[in-house]
Amino acid sequence: MKLLRVSKTTSISSLAGAIAHRIRKGEDVELSMVGSQTINLALKAIMAARRYLQSDDNPSDIVIMPEFCYHNEQSSIEETRPITSLVFRVFKCPFKEEYRVPENPNRTVENSEVSE
């Protein structure tokens, strides 16, 4: 599984292309990020990758499994600090037309669509 680190300067389209490329090759992908800005970038890239994959002649889809990863970061020679990162594991799954990404990404959810 290929680990891709997401930073504040990560290009959404480049990350989406990297995800789609690896999924097309039959590989799974891990995205590692720390902070809300990088989580937002990663989710946007995943949505874009879904569009790329669904526009193929042989469309496919992806699912993500989020999990927390705990590790220590060396902040100085004598000191380490605990870091919690979020990891999205991205897997290929069969394409179903009813789950196609809508053409209009700015659609609104009607109240009748929300389940309580």
Side-chain angles (χ1 to χ4, degrees), residues 41-102:
L41 287 171
L43 288 172
K44 287 179 179 180
I46 289 167
M47 289 185 284
R50 286 189 71 210
R51 279 197 187 85
Y52 296 164
L53 293 166
Q54 291 176 7
S55 67
D56 290 347
D57 290 337
N58 185 15
S60 58
D61 205 349
I62 52 179
V63 294
I64 61 171
M65 292 176 44
E67 66 180 59
F68 290 107
C69 182
Y70 306 98
H71 49 92
N72 291 318
E73 180 179 87
Q74 191 79 31
S75 57
S76 69
I77 294 176
E78 295 122 13
E79 184 180 322
T80 60
R81 63 185 180 123
I83 297 288
T84 302
S85 62
L86 185 61
V87 174
F88 290 152
R89 297 181 191 278
V90 184
F91 303 96
K92 184 176 183 176
C93 70
F95 174 73
K96 292 186 177 182
E97 187 62 43
E98 61 265 27
Y99 298 128
R100 178 179 289 282
V101 176

